[in-house]
Amino acid sequence: MTVFYNNGTILWLTGWSIADSVFDSLREALPEYHHMTVNYCEADTQEKMIFLTETAAKKIKRPLLIGGWSLGGMLALRLAAMGLTDGLLLFAATAQFTRPRGESDRGWADAYVRRMSAGLVKEREAVETRFRRMLFTEMERETKLDQLLPPHGIWSDRALIAGLQVLREEEVLSRLNLIRCPVYLVHGTEDEICPYGAALELASLLPQARLDSIPSSGHVPFLGREEEIAKRFRSWWHEQSNDGNSTSI
């Protein structure tokens, strides 16, 4: 049987160290789209990670939406600045992950990310465990939300280091003015990885952005909320299509 997807394709870009299956419930909640993904598990250099991302976007027939979380959100913004997408669905995203002193409300100090990278060589499991704990608020851990994450250990050592290198060096902040497509932002107010200030920054600099704040949520604001987020996104994208700001079939 042939399946026709009336709304185009969503290309999913996952966050650092996490398997793409973290999006499975979101994909199920959006059956009217064709879904594709980029596999970063064996991307052994920063350049390879970016190459895989760009190649995937360029091969997909439009209309194309890009769903990105965290690291994937930054790479999605990069693609949008290149004009390679018709819309963005971003979770816990930032246009620049590492920040100078005085901007801790929008990102991390570069020294912290360098320490993570160095720590992977000696104690990978400990680094991943600490990172996964930081993804959630205490309340979210008490309700076992963290147990919904895919198992750790999926990415190769070199892919983990490459991902951190992207976070350290990539910045789209200076190119946000090139993004013309609609952007739907979902961000937890208690995010310790990409602070909520990064979402406010994006919302203020992207003229076609909508920010949905998730109170008391950490860095995985879609987990356990997939049906509701899909409903809100679907309604928003329909409005964008009717307003003539996006391309649809």
Side-chain angles (χ1 to χ4, degrees), residues 116-135:
M116 278 184 68
S117 187
L120 286 170
V121 179
K122 299 178 180 178
E123 46 178 3
R124 166 182 169 149
E125 186 171 352
V127 170
E128 284 196 82
T129 299
R130 285 195 298 268
F131 175 74
R132 281 175 166 248
R133 183 171 180 81
M134 291 181 69
L135 296 177

Side-chain angles (χ1 to χ4, degrees), residues 54 57-58 62 64 66 78-86:
E54 290 184 7
K58 290 175 180 177
R62 308 287 278 264
L64 170 63
I66 300 177
R78 188 179 190 278
L79 294 176
M82 298 170 66
L84 295 177
T85 183
D86 300 297

Side-chain angles (χ1 to χ4, degrees), residues 88-99:
L88 295 175
L89 170 57
L90 303 182
F91 304 105
T94 178
Q96 182 177 339
F97 186 72
T98 56
R99 300 292 180 123

Side-chain angles (χ1 to χ4, degrees), residues 9-29:
T9 299
I10 301 179
L11 177 65
W12 295 95
L13 308 178
T14 190
W16 184 78
S17 80
I18 308 296
D20 171 77
S21 58
V22 72
F23 294 129
D24 281 353
S25 293
L26 265 174
R27 288 187 277 250
E28 292 173 6

Side-chain angles (χ1 to χ4, degrees), residues 50 54 73-83 170 172 175 179:
I50 292 173
E54 290 184 7
M74 178 182 288
L75 291 172
L77 286 166
R78 188 179 190 278
L79 294 176
M82 298 170 66
E170 188 65 33
V172 195
R175 290 173 281 163
I179 296 178

